[in-house]
Amino acid sequence: MAHYKLQINGKSVETDVEPDTPLLWVLRDHLGMVGTKYGCGIGQCGACTVHFNGNAVKSCSLPVSAVGTNKITTIEGLSEKGDHPLQLAWDEVDVPQCGYCQAGQIMTAAALLNKNPRPSGEEIDNAMNGNICRCGTYHRIHEAVVLASTKMK
Amino acid sequence: MQTNYTSSRRNFLKLTAAAGGGLMLGFTWSMKAMADSVDGLAPAGELTFNSYLAISPDDIITIYSPNPELGQNIKTSFPMIVADELDADWSKVKVVQAALDTKKYERQLTGGSGAVPHSWERLRKAGATARQMLMEAGAKRWNTSIDNVTTDNGFVVNKSNGQKLTYGALATDAAKGVVPADVKLKDRKDFKLIGKFVRGVDNKAMITGKPLFGLDFYREGMLYAMVVRPEAFGQKLKGFDATAAKAVPGIIDVVSFKNSVAVVGKSTWQVNKARKLLKIEYEIETPLESTPDHDKLFKDLLESKDATARRKDGDVEAAFKSAAKVIKAEYQCPFLSHSPMEPMNFFAHVKENSCELIGPSQTPDMARQETAKLLGIPPDNITLELTRLGGGFGRRLKADYVLEAVEVSRLMKAPVKVIWTREDDMTGGSYRPAVRYRFEAALDASNNLTGYRLRGVGINSGNPTREDNFPSGAVDNLLIESVEYKSPITTGAWRAPITNFLAFAEQSFLDEVAQIVGMDPVQFRLKLLDRAKQNPVGAIKYDIDRMKAVIQLAADKAGWGKKPNIAQGFSVYFSHRSYVAQVAEIEMKQNKPVLKKIYAAADCGVVINQSGSLQQVKGGIVDGLGHAMFGSLTFKNGVPEQNNFNNYRLIRMKEVPEVEVHFVDNGIDPTGLGEPALPPTGGAVANAYYKATGKRLHDQPFIRQEEMKGVTLGERM
Ligand code: FES
Ligand code: FES
């Protein structure tokens, strides 16, 4: 067991866990933040995507010991009122089917728009290709990213 | 709460006045309960009418949704139907997932695309009845006749002076009324919600990361468990050594039941680490099977003398004997994993003489019944609360993972959540069965289809044919038969069971026949359908006109045959009560075939939620395409050779072509859409591929075919 002080969603949180515990499970089991999902555990599906200093990373493959004081953002902290342009677009386009993959999809898309507020269709495809949606909502995910990009400041 | 019991002659509604004011209208969700009561088969006493529509004095309307939600949109679509007839203000409608209660809800399961057809009429009547009672309360309040009042989006309106009262303001009065014996349902043209684009009721929670799914459920003091099952199908547990596993921090115990060993601890990660340290010995119980064995087995089964005849019309032997030409083709499909995005999991708390269950299930009642049997307690002592399901695809029709949680909780005497890793999920069994089909067609000298023979063989597949499907009824001499092989590899229903592959095989074969007789594939199908209509052979179990209508609509919208530089492939299928036709379009780019677009025409009767329906079709097509292209689970000595998404490929965004969806508008009562869009896709794509390259794809996954070397169809270039 080791003691960690993490910077999550702009707050400092403390936890005692094994150093090799993936950030995903620290969030879910120890901090009660279950918006970040488990899908594969091996970096293949993107359900567990969070931001690490603004970059999209797969939290299932990131041991808590490697997090340090870097800034982590999860779906719960993407916006204060759930009104990030992507969140609004996701509702407007009615993207979710079962919904399980969608937090990860939004976090990947948010990291893309941070860097590239007006991505081309191809850039969206490339950025989103690491996120699986078993329900096949890809058309709507794509549409919602485009819609949000028109509303990014 | 006080019940003011007034039963209508229609006998499925019950009115209740809520203690705090307002109205609750209970209704049976249950066709069966009503039928049973008519037959005198219902348990003694009154019918229980307990799916609620509640209107509170503050105008909030609550509708309880009893069916599991796994992405099929039911939690949104059902309340829409009630709210439309009620003329409710949708922004005031709250939808609550109801817990399992078989007394209240019949058919509380998700599978077979059956929920909407099952409930359509009674949902409408429940809404219309509440509206009628609110209008009566309004008329009374204003001392006017019922004909003089109407409703407008959550208000009762006095027609003569325009006075308005909200539903909430009249709900308590309305609860004192009498349930009308019969109510008039809306005209289709007056629907305000049905057929519109209505967003999912859980969207907000989903996009802000609120706990919704089984895996998200947490209870103070709950333990985490992972279950290690035999690694090969055909093995059984011999013994195990848990010393090293138990030494991992956070591990509380290692327990065993049946052929499984369960590691129980304080967190998912600790349990996951410890399980890898288990030393388990298995012994072989039944021979361990490998995929090449199955390939050989299929060949034998196709020659087997003891096939079960499923349908026989005319004299098929004679037809083939006298044929001018015989066409033969075989198609094979592999096992598939369901792989819902949320792996299996369930919470159980077994107590003295009761049990609490919480989690994602497509068949909560079955889970409860099986739990009751396992624990030897009455089902009534078991509660089951449904969470949202992170996908199902048929996997959660089984209760195996629920029972594991029950077993572990019983052994630990503690609340436990069993969690499957992705590897557990993919290797833990219950797959889409592997099957092979042989089709034969007999043609006479003028190229008429005079004989048709289909033999389906499968591994734990049950009957792998759908003997009454098209083209049955359109051919004079026809024989459909099947042979099943029992294997230790477990199988189960997989979205659009059987038809998920059969449709591809059949629609590809019809394309082969059309090509050989020199007919346009669309005209060929229409000609067969005309034949079935004018002069049917045997029983016809599909609606010929509905099938023709989707064929025509898809052909029209896609500009069938009018695009010289595009290879088009056609497919049409009737399954799970609905009809879907598809046209796939492939364009050659730098000598490589690229799947650009799929058109779909669907007839599912009245479209309830435009948003949900569109997505069901698009998602079904993506699902059908992805699995036809990539999906395959193979075995070596009983062990699945794929165990996660690195070696079991699922379709991704880049591989998805454009999809354009059209619905037939015929006003027929809704017939369901969770599955029917999936079956036609493989055939449409394979037929387009043939048009583009001259190569036939006979086996899935396509990507493994020699004919498709180096090509990923959807990839945009
Ligand atoms: S759970 Fe992390 S990528 Fe799948
Ligand atoms: S919405 Fe179900 S996995 Fe994406």
Side-chain angles (χ1 to χ4, degrees):
Chain A
M1 283 285 189
H3 188 77
Y4 294 96
K5 203 173 189 181
L6 305 171
Q7 305 304 315
I8 300 178
N9 298 334
K11 283 187 211 112
S12 188
V13 290
E14 299 186 31
T15 180
D16 290 297
V17 289
E18 318 285 334
D20 62 351
T21 311
L23 176 63
L24 169 67
W25 295 112
V26 175
L27 292 168
R28 292 187 57 88
D29 286 2
H30 302 273
L31 301 174
M33 299 168 77
V34 293
T36 307
K37 301 294 190 228
Y38 166 76
C40 69
I42 59 165
Q44 284 286 325
C45 75
C48 64
T49 305
V50 299
H51 293 176
F52 185 94
N53 296 333
N55 296 313
V57 297
K58 302 195 165 141
S59 66
C60 68
S61 308
L62 179 68
V64 64
S65 57
V67 175
T69 54
N70 294 290
K71 289 195 178 60
I72 301 296
T73 309
T74 71
I75 186 75
E76 289 93 342
L78 182 62
S79 64
E80 215 161 285
K81 298 200 180 95
D83 56 358
H84 184 283
L86 280 162
Q87 288 167 312
L88 297 178
W90 241 249
D91 183 44
E92 190 170 331
V93 176
D94 199 26
V95 177
Q97 202 167 315
C98 84
Y100 193 80
C101 73
Q102 300 297 347
Q105 305 277 5
I106 292 173
M107 294 309 284
T108 303
L112 166 70
L113 295 190
N114 273 344
K115 283 195 206 74
N116 181 0
R118 298 273 183 283
S120 68
E122 205 185 318
E123 285 168 328
I124 295 173
D125 280 355
N126 284 335
M128 302 306 297
N129 214 48
N131 285 69
I132 293 174
C133 174
R134 174 67 180 85
C135 298
T137 63
Y138 296 118
H139 296 99
R140 287 187 172 182
I141 292 170
H142 198 280
E143 194 186 327
V145 177
V146 171
L147 176 66
S149 81
T150 63
K151 296 189 178 155
M152 286 294 278
K153 283 181 207 107
Chain B
M1 199 180 289
Q2 204 204 351
T3 298
N4 211 343
Y5 179 75
T6 328
S7 167
S8 75
R9 262 184 288 131
R10 307 296 296 177
N11 218 19
F12 80 106
L13 290 161
K14 180 181 71 170
L15 180 66
T16 307
L23 159 151
M24 282 183 95
L25 190 66
F27 50 102
T28 50
W29 216 259
S30 139
M31 203 98 79
K32 187 168 157 288
M34 286 180 69
D36 283 357
S37 82
V38 171
D39 299 345
L41 297 171
E46 72 191 48
L47 265 170
T48 36
F49 310 93
N50 289 324
S51 177
Y52 286 110
L53 153 67
I55 305 174
S56 70
D58 62 356
D59 294 330
I60 298 297
I61 295 175
T62 308
I63 299 172
Y64 291 84
S65 171
N67 286 60
E69 171 66 84
L70 47 78
Q72 81 283 38
N73 201 253
I74 199 160
K75 204 173 162 184
T76 307
S77 303
F78 266 30
M80 280 172 67
I81 302 172
V82 179
D84 201 320
E85 287 288 353
L86 176 59
D87 199 10
D89 175 354
W90 181 247
S91 68
K92 302 246 164 77
V93 173
K94 213 173 80 191
V95 183
V96 175
Q97 179 75 58
L100 172 69
D101 189 336
T102 38
K103 295 217 183 80
K104 291 181 184 169
Y105 321 110
E106 199 70 28
R107 203 185 185 287
Q108 191 173 0
L109 58 84
T110 292
S113 304
V116 165
H118 179 86
S119 306
W120 167 244
E121 204 186 84
R122 79 198 50 207
L123 291 171
R124 294 182 66 191
K125 282 193 172 153
T129 301
R131 174 174 175 267
Q132 173 80 15
M133 298 183 70
L134 289 161
M135 281 167 45
E136 274 166 16
K140 219 167 176 187
R141 185 82 68 93
W142 292 314
N143 214 350
T144 180
S145 83
I146 182 87
D147 300 331
N148 202 30
V149 295
T150 183
T151 59
D152 179 24
N153 203 38
F155 288 91
V156 177
V157 183
N158 184 335
K159 285 199 249 179
S160 47
N161 59 13
Q163 262 186 311
K164 277 171 153 196
L165 283 167
T166 66
Y167 284 1
L170 287 167
T172 308
D173 280 6
K176 293 179 194 135
V178 174
V179 179
D182 217 347
V183 287
K184 203 172 153 285
L185 298 180
K186 270 190 181 177
D187 224 42
R188 218 156 68 81
K189 64 173 177 15
D190 298 325
F191 286 151
K192 285 185 187 157
L193 284 165
I194 294 168
K196 298 279 152 28
F197 189 102
V198 176
R199 299 181 186 99
V201 294
D202 279 341
N203 279 3
K204 274 263 141 54
M206 237 147 13
I207 60 189
T208 53
K210 297 282 174 318
L212 275 172
F213 300 94
L215 211 60
D216 301 343
F217 174 78
Y218 175 77
R219 159 99 39 100
E220 196 65 43
M222 160 187 109
L223 303 176
Y224 296 80
M226 285 190 191
V227 177
V228 182
R229 304 158 200 89
E231 51 204 9
F233 290 92
Q235 280 178 337
K236 78 176 204 214
L237 181 65
K238 195 171 164 205
F240 65 96
D241 173 3
T243 323
K246 280 189 186 167
V248 172
I251 298 308
I252 294 169
D253 206 352
V254 174
V255 295
S256 165
F257 56 91
K258 301 201 173 91
N259 278 323
S260 301
V261 180
V263 179
V264 188
K266 290 187 185 150
S267 75
T268 312
W269 184 246
Q270 289 168 318
V271 168
N272 192 40
K273 266 168 79 173
R275 69 176 288 178
K276 295 184 178 140
L277 301 174
L278 284 172
K279 293 196 182 66
I280 310 183
E281 251 191 283
Y282 295 107
E283 56 194 356
I284 295 176
E285 194 172 32
T286 53
L288 306 181
E289 298 177 0
S290 301
T291 297
D293 306 340
H294 292 150
D295 291 341
K296 197 184 152 296
L297 175 82
F298 280 143
K299 304 247 149 78
D300 298 342
L301 295 180
L302 281 174
E303 304 310 326
S304 162
K305 292 271 172 294
D306 11 68
T308 310
R310 302 287 174 179
R311 177 167 172 145
K312 236 174 155 169
D313 293 326
D315 184 346
V316 88
E317 289 298 320
F320 275 87
K321 230 175 248 153
S322 62
K325 206 181 278 165
V326 171
I327 307 164
K328 223 187 243 195
E330 291 183 17
Y331 297 84
Q332 186 171 318
C333 79
F335 290 99
L336 287 183
S337 152
H338 296 81
S339 292
M341 220 52 216
E342 178 197 25
M344 297 305 108
N345 66 87
F346 229 82
F347 169 89
H349 190 184
V350 177
K351 296 167 214 164
E352 186 76 7
N353 190 32
S354 66
C355 178
E356 186 186 3
L357 299 170
I358 300 171
S361 166
Q362 289 179 253
T363 48
D365 186 39
M366 192 184 87
R368 186 168 71 160
Q369 297 298 342
E370 291 189 13
T371 301
K373 220 184 282 159
L374 178 68
L375 295 176
I377 62 174
D380 279 351
N381 294 11
I382 299 166
T383 60
L384 191 150
E385 209 176 296
L386 283 171
T387 60
R388 196 178 168 93
L389 285 67
F393 310 102
R395 180 62 185 85
R396 289 186 237 266
L397 290 166
K398 290 208 168 166
D400 54 334
Y401 59 101
V402 182
L403 296 184
E404 286 181 349
V406 173
E407 296 265 20
V408 181
S409 171
R410 171 164 68 169
L411 290 164
M412 296 300 297
K413 300 191 176 18
V416 169
K417 185 155 79 174
V418 162
I419 294 170
W420 293 38
T421 61
R422 175 56 56 196
E423 289 82 1
D424 291 333
D425 200 271
M426 212 172 275
T427 61
S430 192
Y431 306 111
R432 192 273 300 266
V435 299
R436 189 172 177 93
Y437 295 107
R438 177 194 288 155
F439 290 84
E440 292 163 278
L443 303 176
D444 66 13
S446 32
N447 271 341
N448 292 309
L449 180 59
T450 51
Y452 184 89
R453 196 148 53 184
L454 163 63
R455 175 178 277 204
V457 300
I459 299 171
N460 290 345
S461 62
N463 172 14
T465 73
R466 290 293 177 262
E467 59 275 9
D468 293 323
N469 270 6
F470 179 75
S472 293
V475 190
D476 284 328
N477 307 293
L478 170 142
L479 175 65
I480 313 258
E481 50 185 8
S482 67
V483 189
E484 190 190 4
Y485 167 81
K486 295 274 182 215
S487 157
I489 296 167
T490 54
T491 63
W494 193 99
R495 190 181 193 184
I498 303 300
T499 62
N500 60 45
F501 182 80
L502 175 60
F504 153 73
E506 176 207 289
Q507 290 295 308
S508 298
F509 184 65
L510 288 179
D511 215 69
E512 293 195 46
V513 178
Q515 179 222 333
I516 285 168
V517 305
M519 265 186 92
D520 170 79
V522 170
Q523 290 313 316
F524 179 66
R525 287 171 174 83
L526 289 173
K527 189 180 148 199
L528 284 173
L529 285 166
D530 282 339
R531 156 73 217 265
K533 178 102 185 174
Q534 284 149 17
N535 183 15
V537 186
I540 306 268
K541 299 271 180 70
Y542 49 91
D543 186 316
I544 294 166
D545 295 331
R546 291 180 76 179
M547 193 176 260
K548 281 177 73 174
V550 292
I551 292 176
Q552 241 117 29
L553 184 62
D556 276 3
K557 295 293 178 184
W560 176 258
K562 291 184 192 135
K563 298 177 177 170
N565 297 320
I566 292 175
Q568 293 178 314
F570 198 85
S571 177
V572 60
Y573 211 68
F574 162 62
S575 65
H576 312 279
R577 302 186 190 83
S578 294
Y579 299 79
V580 181
Q582 293 176 14
V583 175
E585 295 191 338
I586 289 180
E587 243 182 278
M588 296 303 282
K589 290 210 166 160
Q590 285 132 29
N591 258 334
K592 279 195 170 178
V594 181
L595 179 63
K596 297 290 280 190
K597 188 162 180 176
I598 295 176
Y599 292 86
D603 172 1
C604 57
V606 172
V607 167
I608 296 177
N609 185 352
Q610 201 188 87
S611 177
S613 302
L614 270 171
Q615 182 49 43
Q616 282 305 320
V617 176
K618 286 192 178 182
I621 287 172
V622 171
D623 195 358
L625 173 64
H627 285 91
M629 287 281 298
F630 310 122
S632 171
L633 196 81
T634 56
F635 293 85
K636 191 170 182 187
N637 297 325
V639 182
E641 292 184 287
Q642 294 75 29
N643 64 358
N644 205 325
F645 299 138
N646 57 336
N647 48 29
Y648 185 86
R649 183 168 170 188
L650 292 180
I651 193 165
R652 292 173 185 267
M653 186 179 276
K654 275 193 198 177
E655 291 136 6
V656 172
E658 194 186 330
V659 175
E660 186 179 311
V661 183
H662 299 273
F663 290 98
V664 174
D665 183 20
N666 57 13
I668 293 173
D669 283 357
T671 48
L673 204 55
E675 294 165 302
L678 185 151
T681 305
V685 171
N687 293 338
Y689 190 77
Y690 174 78
K691 260 279 196 49
T693 66
K695 291 174 186 160
R696 283 275 172 211
L697 299 169
H698 284 103
D699 299 340
Q700 290 185 1
F702 296 159
I703 197 103
R704 295 253 178 91
Q705 301 294 290
E706 193 55 34
E707 288 78 4
M708 222 182 180
K709 272 261 154 76
V711 180
T712 296
L713 268 185
E715 203 132 84
R716 293 194 264 280
M717 292 195 262

